[in-house]
Amino acid sequence: MDASSWTVVLICAILWTICRFKNFCRSMLLALRLPGPPAWPIIGNILHVTNTKAQFALADNVGKFAPFARVWMFLLPTILVYQPDHLRVILSSTKVAEKNFFYQLLQTFIGNGIITSTGDEWRKNRKLLQPMFQLGPIERYFEQFARTSEAVFRRLQTQKHWQITGIVNSCVVSILHKTILGVDLGPKDDTPFRKGQLLIIKRILKPWLLLDSVFQMSEMSRNEAKHKHDLHLYVRKVLVDRKAKLPDTNGKKCFLDNLMELEANGDLSEEDVVNEAVTFMLAGQDSVATGVATCLFYLAKHQEEQRRVHEEIEAILRDSDSQALKLEHVKKMYYLEQCVKETLRLAPSVPLIARVVVKDVTLDGFTIPTGTNIFVSPYATHHLPQIFSDPFKFNPDRFSVDNIKKIHPFGYLPFSIGPRNCIGYKFAYLEMKTMVATILRNYHLQLRHEKDELKLSYRISLRAKGGIWLNVQSRILLQEE
């Protein structure tokens, strides 16, 4: 080929590259115009992933990066959206933004359930599962919430010091086995849902492992695949056993029973049933356990608020014919619910939501191109002073009947918001309220040291770093004294 022919080939190659990566280039140009935290060459802000202090510093001061912040994930430009008006645009419709590739990385751990699926498959399954998480069906689980909570926490009556995170997690795992799988689980029973480690963070830190072909050759992949196999095998055995025995549910079906009906009707395959059961077992574990443990810490730290919750519980039970905790009791515990909501404002269990823009979106004069990755930080939004005055203070009265009306509809999103919000949020709220009510009815909580502070670790879900230790006194023994 002569020089002119090579020139034509080169021009064609350049034009093809520009067309193929046009939106990526537009995202790069936008990111270069936006403010954001200092970034390293090539690796960008990736070290924030392992630096909890840096993550909280960014979230706590995100308002100085207006109208939104730029974050580099290696050379991948990502936009951190935190203003409620912008979140309304991004999260209110799946026609604007969808889940991005980060959720695909979860498939190697939990399978292709409602959390990781997209498109028509997600829409179909979401529609099928939504009725199971309306308030009526959810309230049928209350008896299991109350019974399991009472059994777990009664066993600890003589202990004066609790590592509350481990205790609460054990209770949540037992509740999930009964309500999701219909299996009674003792404190020492073996289950793969007590084990395992999500490796997505480690994959992000080693970008070559984001390529499935490379990841599948790693020891990390083999460990994750084994745990996924154990989870799915465990659920499949429960499913086979439940089908064989066809238990008399007496109208009180577990989640798996409902999935079995969908399979029998041809709406779901057996593989779908297993995937969804595993998904809800995992999704309902860390988020609720962290929320309950954190709420108990705040109430131990804020004795006046704890007193108000306990007085509310006692007043409701005093006016009841039954001293056993019942659904109608918990539904009347409005101040307790305010405390749970304020806890999830200060420490949302899921601190980061990832999306990808599926069409050009204009926010405050900036056009975010199709294909741009978006981060949403509920933690950052929940700490905006223009939405919540004195945002670092524990103040449950923010969620009183009068004050809650003043909160921007997209200013509070502990379970995300919009069509892709957490389908099980009503389940989580009722479960959390029941567990906290059971504990505070029976125990008075104090910090081990007056100046103890909550140390959170910023990962896929917020965790209490090092656990939470509380001093506990039985209220029965206190009355006897």
Side-chain angles (χ1 to χ4, degrees):
M1 294 176 64
D2 57 24
S4 59
S5 299
W6 279 113
T7 301
V8 171
V9 171
L10 179 60
I11 292 173
C12 289
I14 292 172
L15 291 174
W16 179 88
T17 302
I18 291 173
C19 291
R20 179 70 175 82
F21 297 101
K22 180 180 70 173
N23 285 329
F24 177 75
C25 294
R26 293 172 65 208
S27 296
M28 291 280 285
L29 292 172
L30 172 64
L32 292 170
R33 294 171 57 200
L34 293 174
W40 290 90
I42 301 178
I43 65 172
N45 300 107
I46 200 68
L47 295 181
H48 278 69
V49 173
T50 56
N51 188 332
T52 294
K53 185 177 180 180
Q55 292 179 42
F56 279 112
L58 172 59
D60 291 343
N61 298 285
V62 72
K64 69 181 182 181
F65 302 117
F68 24 79
R70 170 270 307 145
V71 178
W72 294 100
M73 303 297 288
F74 292 101
L75 296 177
L76 183 68
T78 304
I79 309 302
L80 176 60
V81 179
Y82 59 89
Q83 294 285 1
D85 286 338
H86 298 159
L87 295 175
R88 188 198 301 271
V89 176
I90 296 296
L91 298 177
S92 61
S93 172
T94 57
K95 295 179 180 180
V96 174
E98 270 284 1
K99 291 187 174 181
N100 70 4
F101 73 94
F102 286 108
Y103 291 89
Q104 296 172 15
L105 302 180
L106 297 175
Q107 289 182 355
T108 60
F109 183 72
I110 64 176
N112 194 30
I114 196 171
I115 287 180
T116 55
S117 60
T118 58
D120 291 340
E121 182 180 9
W122 169 80
R123 276 184 280 274
K124 184 200 77 168
N125 287 1
R126 174 85 183 204
K127 186 176 180 180
L128 289 170
L129 300 180
Q130 188 75 52
M132 303 178 195
F133 290 92
Q134 298 302 317
L135 197 54
I138 289 300
E139 290 178 347
R140 298 189 190 111
Y141 294 129
F142 171 79
E143 187 178 334
Q144 295 302 332
F145 295 166
R147 183 182 301 167
T148 304
S149 299
E150 188 72 25
V152 170
F153 299 121
R154 280 286 184 183
R155 288 197 297 265
L156 304 167
Q157 195 168 24
T158 59
Q159 297 183 22
K160 295 183 178 181
H161 309 292
W162 287 7
Q163 208 282 45
I164 196 68
T165 42
I167 294 168
V168 167
N169 191 69
S170 178
C171 184
V172 170
V173 170
S174 296
I175 287 173
L176 289 173
H177 274 76
K178 188 63 179 177
T179 56
I180 303 297
L181 301 180
V183 175
D184 288 309
L185 186 69
K188 296 183 180 179
D189 288 345
D190 188 42
T191 168
F193 289 99
R194 295 192 196 275
K195 309 166 188 174
Q197 181 184 13
L198 192 59
L199 301 176
I200 183 174
I201 297 296
K202 293 183 179 180
R203 288 186 70 178
I204 292 171
L205 289 172
K206 299 177 180 179
W208 55 91
L209 293 179
L210 295 177
L211 298 173
D212 281 338
S213 57
V214 177
F215 179 67
Q216 289 170 8
M217 294 187 290
S218 69
E219 181 68 20
M220 195 185 301
S221 172
R222 288 188 284 274
N223 291 338
E224 198 166 72
K226 182 183 183 306
H227 188 56
K228 175 185 174 182
H229 172 267
D230 292 343
L231 294 174
H232 284 243
L233 181 63
Y234 182 88
V235 170
R236 201 174 295 277
K237 285 180 178 178
V238 173
L239 177 61
V240 170
D241 185 58
R242 209 155 179 84
K243 285 180 177 179
K245 292 181 179 178
L246 292 176
D248 180 10
T249 61
N250 229 5
K252 297 179 180 179
K253 299 175 182 176
C254 69
F255 179 65
L256 190 60
D257 294 328
N258 292 318
L259 293 178
M260 287 164 52
E261 287 186 1
L262 291 175
E263 182 190 357
N265 293 336
D267 295 317
L268 294 177
S269 67
E270 183 173 291
E271 188 64 25
D272 290 331
V273 170
V274 173
N275 275 321
E276 298 299 352
V278 169
T279 293
F280 282 94
M281 286 293 294
L282 292 172
Q285 188 171 333
D286 283 351
S287 57
V288 170
T290 298
V292 171
T294 305
C295 185
L296 295 173
F297 173 87
Y298 284 130
L299 291 173
K301 184 176 179 65
H302 300 276
Q303 289 291 307
E304 174 61 20
E305 284 70 18
Q306 182 180 170
R307 181 191 63 77
R308 287 180 64 181
V309 172
H310 181 251
E311 287 183 353
E312 178 181 63
I313 295 170
E314 288 298 298
I316 290 170
L317 291 175
R318 191 165 48 245
D319 295 338
S320 171
D321 295 334
S322 171
Q323 289 303 295
L325 197 63
K326 294 185 177 297
L327 175 63
E328 58 263 31
H329 298 153
V330 176
K331 290 171 72 172
K332 293 177 183 176
M333 294 177 185
Y334 304 119
Y335 189 70
L336 169 58
E337 183 166 324
Q338 290 174 210
C339 290
V340 170
K341 288 182 175 179
E342 175 67 346
T343 295
L344 294 177
R345 183 192 70 81
L346 284 168
S349 300
V350 179
L352 204 64
I353 300 166
R355 293 288 186 267
V356 60
V357 174
V358 295
K359 70 175 185 178
D360 284 8
V361 175
T362 300
L363 301 175
D364 273 5
F366 291 89
T367 297
I368 301 178
T370 303
T372 302
N373 285 287
I374 299 287
F375 281 154
V376 174
S377 172
Y379 178 92
T381 301
H382 291 177
H383 287 77
L384 291 174
Q386 65 267 37
I387 306 298
F388 299 100
S389 60
D390 200 359
F392 295 94
K393 180 182 178 182
F394 181 74
N395 179 14
D397 286 329
R398 301 179 200 275
F399 294 93
S400 67
V401 174
D402 292 331
N403 289 334
I404 198 170
K405 300 173 185 176
K406 304 172 187 176
I407 299 173
H408 192 292
F410 283 74
Y412 182 68
L413 52 157
F415 296 100
S416 189
I417 200 166
R420 272 196 174 274
N421 72 333
C422 173
I423 194 174
Y425 77 93
K426 293 177 183 177
F427 182 106
Y429 271 131
L430 183 57
E431 184 182 6
M432 292 173 69
K433 285 181 67 178
T434 304
M435 292 176 68
V436 175
T438 301
I439 293 173
L440 291 187
R441 181 191 180 193
N442 293 293
Y443 301 99
H444 177 255
L445 310 178
Q446 290 180 305
L447 300 182
R448 292 196 73 179
H449 305 98
E450 186 178 342
K451 294 185 179 180
D452 280 354
E453 294 294 339
L454 186 64
K455 296 179 181 179
L456 294 172
S457 178
Y458 211 125
R459 294 292 183 265
I460 295 297
S461 61
L462 279 186
R463 302 284 184 89
K465 198 172 182 179
I468 297 173
W469 284 90
L470 299 177
N471 290 337
V472 182
Q473 292 176 290
S474 166
R475 293 190 184 274
I476 295 175
L477 297 179
L478 281 173
Q479 291 172 358
E480 292 175 353
E481 292 176 1

